[in-house]
């Protein structure tokens, strides 16, 4: 390592030699940096999984425009929309079809655990509004009390889910009715529910009789291929006389919910704050290590100054140390962080993992913040006065 | 050898502190050091020896008077110039100030590589050669923790000499050395003076060295009170 660094730097790797001289302290410094990395990875992993979980239900449907109530900050949030606005929207020449989407929570008392499934009521005659995997099974929903259930839902055994087929359906009781799951689709537990279920709008209204088909939660619209979505949204704003409704492209609606969940909801803010704390902990640890290292070697640095070494040389040594700590601390950090997230993912069924993007972000962040800590630590070098050596 | 003096000082004054606490450390110092000469600076503690050494060594800013080092005026010189000038000097401090995590060879290499063009292999060979000259050929890859006090001081001597300094400034360089080692080190300074024109300015109380000096300067209360040139050296 020493020879490799000597070749890379074109000089003695003084930073490396200095760090490794006291192996216990070096190991402790690496543990500190790795710990900060683990903190950031876990918080980022949870934040990422929140993003994935928020966007997941949007992937069950295919639409160009979504009309929601004024207070609907998310798919499962807010009031209802009058169905009449769908008919009004269909008057636009670029709007080719519309579907009301009804959403509610269905409790399911399982033998070992009680779970809650976020349930979508859809029109099975309009499979074009459903993702291909779900659309392929939409015809099964035309049977009363039929359901498609989430095979990745929390509380449903994987082997049990795998055996659900039209020939071997799973019957279960909920809300005083017997539902029959004929097939499954891939969802997964989120922060709001244990999984998802899709039923026909008629079955949905039987399960939740207080709901009305004339007042869905959202209205999904399909546009003519090649239509200018923002232009249609602008026209719909003029066409629909209720100014309080949120009329957005489907993609924007998903993005706005993600932003809302991450920046306005307590959970998102807490996880974001956790990332910040991790970064600050890392910054403080690296600064502390480098700063005390500089303080311990002030006489040597003063000697180098007397010999004619300039500020760039000292900054180079401290930067070298910072980068070594950043890179070597990252390796155990990413390994432990990934292991913790995998374990947490298994327990919670949340989509928790270290993604390549996350790994690159944390690595670059670690190196940048380590360098920043190093730059701050070099300020102590000013105290190394060579005139004091005599 | 260039006949011009390596150090020319005229009317040099220096103060420490400010306002009421201001205290003058050097008074109207004027002297010249010839290239290749071996000068000993003597004087009681607090006489201004160290202040003079640090001013000549570009480690302090010249406040008043003229100080020419290698023909360059140091009064008013910017920091970059002072750093550049220091590269032409060799320093030996009373405390060896070796880098504890570097081997003897690496400590000496640092002295060579202050000149940016010196590659690793050349610096390593030069370090080995100098360590051999100070009697540490068998200890080149030892860390300072595994060297005796005298050996550490000899590494510091090698480090000061490896860059081929024009002027060597040394503060009690033989204090930690036994009689034979001290004599060898002083001989080395004198040989380098004769061969390369290296000038030596050395602070010491060691009478063994006084006998070998070309010139002995004595400072008292910030003033040169004696300037004795020895014949026969």
């Amino acid at each position: 390592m020493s020879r490799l660094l000597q070749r890379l730097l074109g000089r003695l790797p003084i930073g490396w030699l200095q760090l490794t001289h006291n192996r216990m302290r070096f190991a402790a410094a690496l543990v500190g940096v790795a710990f900060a990395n683990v903190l950031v990875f876990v918080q980022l992993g949870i934040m990422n999984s929140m993003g994935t979980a928020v966007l997941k239900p949007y992937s069950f449907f295919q639409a160009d425009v979504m009309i929601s109530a004024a207070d609907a900050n998310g798919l499962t949030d807010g009031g209802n929309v009058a169905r009449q606005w769908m008919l009004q929207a269909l008057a636009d020449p670029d709007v080719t079809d519309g579907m009301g989407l009804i959403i509610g929570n269905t409790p399911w008392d399982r033998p070992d655990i009680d779970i809650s499934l976020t349930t979508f009521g859809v029109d099975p005659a309009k499979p074009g509004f459903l993702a291909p995997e779900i659309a392929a099974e939409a015809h099964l929903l035309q049977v009363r009390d039929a359901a498609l259930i989430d095979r990745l839902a929390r509380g449903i055994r994987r082997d049990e889910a795998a055996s659900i087929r039209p020939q071997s359906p799973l019957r279960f009781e909920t809300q005083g009715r017997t539902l029959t799951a004929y097939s499954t689709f891939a969802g997964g537990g989120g922060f709001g529910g244990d999984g998802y279920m899709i039923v026909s709008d008629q079955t949905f209204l039987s399960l939740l009789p207080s709901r009305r088909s004339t007042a869905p939660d959202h209205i999904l619209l399909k546009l003519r291929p090649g239509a200018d979505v923002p232009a249609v949204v602008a026209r719909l704003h003029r066409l629909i006389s209720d100014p309080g409704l949120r009329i957005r492209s489907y993609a924007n609606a998903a993005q706005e919910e993600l932003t809302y969940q991450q920046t306005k909801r307590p959970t998102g803010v807490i996880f974001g704050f956790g990332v910040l704390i991790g970064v600050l902990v890392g910054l403080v640890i690296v600064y502390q290590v480098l700063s005390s290292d500089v303080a311990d070697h002030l006489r040597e640095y003063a000697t180098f100054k007397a010999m004619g070494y300039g500020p760039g040389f000292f900054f180079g040594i401290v930067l070298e140390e910072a980068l070594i700590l950043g890179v070597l601390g990252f390796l155990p950090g990413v390994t432990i962080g990934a292991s913790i997230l995998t374990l947490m993912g298994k327990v919670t069924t949340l989509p928790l993992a270290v993604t390549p993007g996350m790994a690159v972000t944390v690595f670059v962040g670690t190196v940048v913040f380590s360098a920043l800590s190093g730059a701050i630590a070099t300020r102590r070098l000013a105290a190394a006065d060579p005139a004091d050596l005599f | 050898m260039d006949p011009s003096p390596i150090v020319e000082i005229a009317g040099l004054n220096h103060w420490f502190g400010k306002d009421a606490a201001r205290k003058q450390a050097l008074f109207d110092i004027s002297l010249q050091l010839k290239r290749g000469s071996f000068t000993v600076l003597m004087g009681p503690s607090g006489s201004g020896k160290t202040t003079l050494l640090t001013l000549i060594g570009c480690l302090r800013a010249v406040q008043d008077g003229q100080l020419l080092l290698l023909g360059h005026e140091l009064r008013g010189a910017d920091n970059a110039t002072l750093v550049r000038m220091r590269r032409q000097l060799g320093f030996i401090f009373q405390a060896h100030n070796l880098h504890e995590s570097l081997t003897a060879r690496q400590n000496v290499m640092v002295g060579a590589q202050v000149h940016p063009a010196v590659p690793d292999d050349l610096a390593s060979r030069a370090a080995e050669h100098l360590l051999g000259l100070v009697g540490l050929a068998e200890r080149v890859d030892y860390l300072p923790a595994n060297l005796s006090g005298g050996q550490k001081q000899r590494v510091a001597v090698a480090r000061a000499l490896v860059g081929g300094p024009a002027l060597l400034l040394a503060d009690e360089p033989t204090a930690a050395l036994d009689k034979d080692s001290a004599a060898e080190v002083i001989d080395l300074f004198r040989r380098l003076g004769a061969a390369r024109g290296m000038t030596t300015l050395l602070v010491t109380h060691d009478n063994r060295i006084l006998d070998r000096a070309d010139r002995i300067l004595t400072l008292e209360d910030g003033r040169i009170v004696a300037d004795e040139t020895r014949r026969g050296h």
Side-chain angles (χ1 to χ4, degrees):
Chain A
M1 185 71 173
S2 187
R3 282 178 194 278
L4 175 71
L5 283 171
Q6 192 161 347
R7 283 207 179 145
L8 285 174
L9 298 168
R11 60 162 170 79
L12 281 173
I14 295 172
W16 166 256
L17 295 168
Q18 224 162 255
L19 279 176
T20 53
H21 185 67
N22 186 334
R23 283 166 198 243
M24 283 304 288
R25 196 157 84 169
F26 182 48
L30 289 183
V31 167
V33 176
F35 173 70
N37 266 284
V38 169
L39 271 184
V40 172
F41 270 122
V42 169
Q43 298 294 336
L44 266 184
I46 295 172
M47 229 167 90
N48 251 16
S49 82
M50 194 172 79
T52 310
V54 164
L55 296 177
K56 191 70 198 177
Y58 285 90
S59 73
F60 302 156
F61 307 102
Q62 291 189 327
D64 298 308
V65 174
M66 187 163 92
I67 302 175
S68 315
D71 60 349
N73 290 310
L75 207 55
T76 58
D77 185 31
N80 309 118
V81 186
R83 189 182 168 84
Q84 70 181 67
W85 300 124
M86 183 175 86
L87 303 173
Q88 188 83 60
L90 284 167
D92 187 280
D94 280 340
V95 178
T96 56
D97 202 0
M99 181 183 82
L101 180 64
I102 330 172
I103 305 170
N105 280 319
T106 307
W108 182 4
D109 297 345
R110 309 255 312 146
D112 44 352
I113 186 171
D114 296 343
I115 62 172
S116 171
L117 298 177
T118 303
T119 304
F120 297 100
V122 300
D123 183 349
K126 292 184 174 179
F129 282 96
L130 302 172
E133 185 195 16
I134 299 165
E137 311 285 5
H139 63 281
L140 298 168
L141 299 178
Q142 287 176 345
V143 178
R144 195 166 181 82
D145 293 335
L148 304 177
I149 62 166
D150 179 357
R151 60 175 169 269
L152 302 179
R154 215 171 282 138
I156 298 179
R157 294 194 321 275
R158 298 292 168 262
D159 59 331
E160 183 185 15
S163 68
I164 299 173
R165 293 191 189 91
Q167 308 91 307
S168 55
L170 172 72
R171 286 188 177 79
F172 60 99
E173 295 218 351
T174 177
Q175 308 282 86
R177 298 185 72 85
T178 302
L179 291 187
T180 307
Y182 286 104
S183 189
T184 63
F185 62 97
F191 288 82
D194 297 309
Y196 300 94
M197 178 164 72
I198 296 176
V199 296
S200 72
D201 41 8
Q202 294 309 310
T203 301
F204 187 97
L205 295 171
S206 313
L207 282 171
L208 298 161
S210 63
R211 299 296 302 273
R212 293 281 173 272
S213 63
T214 51
D217 292 87
H218 304 278
I219 291 168
L220 304 182
L221 299 176
K222 281 274 195 189
L223 304 186
R224 182 177 55 78
D228 181 351
V229 178
V232 174
V233 167
R235 285 204 303 272
L236 290 175
H237 272 293
R238 289 194 294 274
L239 196 63
I240 294 171
S241 56
D242 184 346
L245 289 181
R246 299 181 81 170
I247 306 172
R248 300 163 289 176
S249 74
Y250 189 65
N252 277 356
Q255 198 51 50
E256 282 176 20
E257 176 168 1
L258 183 61
T259 307
Y260 172 75
Q261 297 286 356
Q262 286 182 336
T263 61
K264 301 276 174 24
R265 301 276 296 170
T267 42
V269 175
I270 287 167
F271 295 141
F273 196 69
V275 172
L276 183 69
I277 292 291
V279 168
L280 287 178
V281 166
L283 197 69
V284 168
I285 289 172
V286 176
Y287 171 73
Q288 201 53 44
V289 170
L290 295 179
S291 182
S292 53
D293 188 74
V294 168
D296 287 350
H297 293 97
L298 272 185
R299 282 193 77 79
E300 287 93 331
Y301 284 129
T303 308
F304 289 159
K305 274 188 182 178
M307 288 159 73
Y309 281 101
F313 174 75
F314 302 110
F315 182 68
I317 292 176
V318 179
L319 192 66
E320 177 193 333
E321 291 186 324
L323 295 181
I324 288 167
L325 287 174
V327 172
L328 295 187
F330 172 80
L331 297 175
V334 68
T335 310
I336 297 168
S339 306
I340 290 175
L341 285 178
T342 305
L343 192 67
M344 283 169 67
K346 276 187 181 159
V347 173
T348 62
T349 74
L350 286 168
L352 291 163
V354 171
T355 63
M358 249 166 81
V360 170
T361 305
V362 175
F363 177 69
V364 171
T366 305
V367 169
V368 168
F369 280 102
S370 297
L372 187 66
S373 302
I376 300 168
T378 53
R379 291 190 314 169
R380 295 195 72 160
L381 282 170
D385 184 0
D388 293 339
L389 291 171
F390 278 108
Chain B
M1 200 182 293
D2 184 350
S4 65
I6 194 164
V7 176
E8 288 181 81
I9 300 174
L12 185 71
N13 294 291
H14 197 82
W15 293 264
F16 289 106
K18 281 182 180 174
D19 303 325
R22 197 171 193 225
K23 188 173 184 302
Q24 189 160 2
L26 293 178
F27 295 83
D28 195 25
I29 302 288
S30 295
L31 67 91
Q32 293 188 343
L33 295 180
K34 281 189 206 161
R35 285 174 199 268
S37 63
F38 186 101
T39 305
V40 166
L41 188 58
M42 293 182 67
S45 183
S47 59
K49 305 187 297 292
T50 302
T51 306
L52 183 58
L53 220 55
T54 54
L55 284 167
I56 296 172
C58 308
L59 302 178
R60 290 187 197 284
V62 176
Q63 297 169 343
D64 183 49
Q66 185 188 55
L67 200 166
L68 289 173
L69 176 65
L70 294 157
H72 294 272
E73 175 58 79
L74 296 188
R75 188 177 174 193
D78 59 23
N79 197 46
T81 304
L82 294 178
V83 168
R84 210 169 44 249
M85 294 302 293
R86 282 181 212 150
R87 291 182 188 161
Q88 302 185 57
L89 310 178
F91 292 96
I92 302 171
F93 309 102
Q94 207 166 351
H96 51 78
N97 294 333
L98 296 182
H99 205 298
E100 59 174 7
S101 48
L102 305 185
T103 62
R105 180 204 304 271
Q106 289 167 334
N107 265 294
V108 179
M109 281 173 74
V110 173
Q113 290 191 313
V114 73
H115 304 286
V118 179
D120 274 354
D121 55 343
L122 183 60
S124 179
R125 283 204 304 275
E128 208 167 317
H129 174 68
L130 256 301
L131 286 167
L133 286 181
V134 294
L136 291 175
E138 308 297 318
R139 298 279 190 277
V140 289
D141 292 320
Y142 278 47
L143 287 170
N146 300 324
L147 297 172
S148 69
Q151 287 169 334
K152 285 178 197 169
Q153 191 63 359
R154 280 185 275 162
V155 175
V157 168
R159 182 180 61 188
L161 298 177
V162 73
L167 172 64
L168 178 71
L169 300 169
D171 190 5
E172 299 281 9
T174 56
L177 302 181
D178 59 46
K179 185 183 167 190
D180 292 340
S181 298
E184 282 170 21
V185 165
I186 297 304
D187 277 346
L188 181 60
F189 295 165
R190 291 199 60 89
R191 282 207 308 277
L192 291 172
R196 295 187 197 164
M198 183 184 82
T199 307
T200 302
L201 178 60
L202 188 147
V203 171
T204 188
H205 296 98
D206 188 343
N207 289 329
R208 298 170 298 181
I209 296 177
L210 298 183
D211 296 339
R212 312 174 86 114
D214 297 326
R215 183 180 177 191
I216 300 171
L217 289 167
T218 308
L219 271 179
E220 272 182 30
D221 297 328
R223 293 181 172 83
I224 295 177
V225 294
D227 184 352
E228 179 189 351
T229 301
R230 297 292 189 89
R231 304 277 175 199
H233 287 294

